[in-house]
Every structure is written in C-alpha cells, then in structure tokens.
Amino acid sequence: MRVLKYAILGLLYRQEYSGYDITSQFKQEIGQFWSAKHSQIYPELRKLVDEGLVEFRTQIQGEKLEKKMYTITEQGRQELLAWAAQPESLPETEKDEFMLKMYFIHTLSPEQARALFEDQLQQRRAKLAYLQQRYENLMPIFVREEDRETHTQDLNGDTASETAPLAFHNPHLGHYLVLTKALAREQSYVDWLERHMKLFV
C-alpha cells in the first residue's frame, strides 16, 4: 500500500500546499510517526495528479519563479475517507538499532554499555524536551485557558483527567493526538533508560 499517498491526501484535505510545504510538514508532528523525503514526495505528487486525486495551480512568485500549489479533488477526498475508516492491523516491529545492540549487550563491557545508555538517554531527553516545548507552544490551540494547568499535569502523569481536552470536531484534534502520543513514547523511553542505568553502576 502507498501509505505516503494517503499522508499527502490527508495534508491536502486540510488546506492547499506546495510541494515544499508538504515536505516541511513531515518535519513536524507527523514526522514522529511517518517519514518521507523530498525525493519521495514529489514523485508521489505527480502520481496523485495523474490519478486525478490531486490537482494544482501555478503561482508566480516574483518575476519568474513558479510554484505549484496542490489541492485535493473530490475523488481524492473519497479515497482518503475510505482509507481512514479502515481498521488498521498492528505495524511490523519498529526498527531500533540501539535496542538491537542491547540484545547483544554481552559483547560489551559494563563501561561500554553504560556509555551507550548515557548517550541514548541524553538524546531522548533532548527529544522529549523539544516535544514538551512544542506542546506548550501549541497549548493555546489545544486546551482552553481555564483547563491548561490540569492538562499540563495530565501530560506529566501527575493526575488523570476524566475529560478530553478537545472536542471531536476540533480541527486540531489530530495534531493533539499525534503530539501527545509522541510525548508519551519518549517519556516512557527515558523512564526505561533511567531505570536500567542502575545495571551498570
């Protein structure tokens, strides 16, 4: 299945984008769960245009620079909605080279293993801090002002909220779900690393 096809259709379902804009989106929250490079996106856009799922207009910038602005067609909307409603099977095992090395930890000395753990922990903490900052910056569009303190606590695992911060039809719900899932994943990884660092003391 061409999953990138649906990722692009989903972005265009929201609004009109250039190829550059679409590439930039994969560097944001969507990139936490699906990656795509410039060299993959533009060929896929051409296929989508040929299939009648996407169309474009040419926008002139300056005197000579032309930029294609892509929009989803009605046929593209129908294909996207049909795909989005299908139940999804569990994905194949996520590749994690660090964990592969841990599986063969017996080939390392305790000092080497600890060095790897410390390096991974530093990177994961930095990524977690970045995601937390993203969440704080986007909180005004996610959560009502009077609920922000409660949901900041929820995010840190201090309390449990009984109500969802966003209504189902809020246009930012998908963004919120992906970002909070990424935060939970990185927090879990950091907790695991910190807990097992004791093995190498």
Side-chain angles (χ1 to χ4, degrees), residues 33-79:
F33 295 92
W34 202 266
S35 62
K37 299 179 180 179
H38 176 280
S39 58
Q40 298 170 296
I41 291 170
Y42 280 87
E44 187 62 41
L45 278 170
R46 287 193 291 270
K47 290 180 183 178
L48 293 173
V49 171
D50 291 341
E51 293 167 352
L53 305 180
V54 165
E55 57 190 12
F56 67 88
R57 64 181 177 85
T58 301
Q59 178 176 300
I60 306 298
Q61 289 186 319
E63 296 182 359
K64 297 182 179 180
L65 183 61
E66 294 184 352
K67 180 170 66 172
K68 291 180 179 179
M69 299 299 297
Y70 295 90
T71 55
I72 191 171
T73 65
E74 182 57 34
Q75 182 183 348
R77 288 173 184 269
Q78 294 304 316
E79 286 217 21

Side-chain angles (χ1 to χ4, degrees), residues 19-30:
Y20 175 82
D21 294 332
I22 292 172
T23 302
S24 297
Q25 287 296 311
F26 281 94
K27 298 177 183 178
Q28 303 299 324
E29 274 61 56
I30 193 174

Side-chain angles (χ1 to χ4, degrees), residues 152-187:
T152 298
Q153 292 175 339
D154 292 346
L155 194 64
N156 294 329
D158 298 328
T159 63
S161 174
E162 296 180 356
T163 58
L166 300 183
F168 181 77
H169 294 292
N170 188 301
H172 304 294
L173 179 59
H175 196 169
Y176 171 85
L177 291 173
V178 167
L179 182 53
T180 52
K181 178 62 170 67
L183 277 161
R185 179 194 63 204
E186 292 305 319
Q187 184 65 64

Side-chain angles (χ1 to χ4, degrees), residues 65-170:
L65 183 61
E66 294 184 352
K67 180 170 66 172
K68 291 180 179 179
M69 299 299 297
Y70 295 90
T71 55
I72 191 171
T73 65
E74 182 57 34
Q75 182 183 348
R77 288 173 184 269
Q78 294 304 316
E79 286 217 21
L80 172 65
L81 296 178
W83 167 79
Q86 292 177 357
E88 189 62 39
S89 59
L90 290 177
E92 295 182 6
T93 303
E94 180 182 357
K95 293 180 180 179
D96 186 334
E97 190 170 352
F98 170 74
M99 291 307 301
L100 182 61
K101 290 180 179 181
M102 291 305 96
Y103 188 74
F104 299 112
I105 196 170
H106 60 279
T107 65
L108 304 173
S109 68
E111 293 75 20
Q112 289 174 316
R114 182 175 180 85
L116 287 177
F117 258 71
E118 290 175 342
D119 176 71
Q120 189 73 193
L121 182 58
Q122 181 180 11
Q123 293 186 63
R124 293 288 177 173
R125 281 174 173 167
K127 188 171 185 178
L128 179 60
Y130 165 77
L131 291 171
Q132 288 172 331
Q133 187 62 55
R134 286 284 296 164
Y135 183 86
E136 291 175 11
N137 292 343
L138 294 169
M139 189 179 287
I141 69 171
F142 286 161
V143 183
R144 294 178 302 176
E145 185 173 0
E146 58 267 31
D147 296 332
R148 288 177 193 170
E149 182 177 354
T150 299
H151 287 290
T152 298
Q153 292 175 339
D154 292 346
L155 194 64
N156 294 329
D158 298 328
T159 63
S161 174
E162 296 180 356
T163 58
L166 300 183
F168 181 77
H169 294 292
N170 188 301

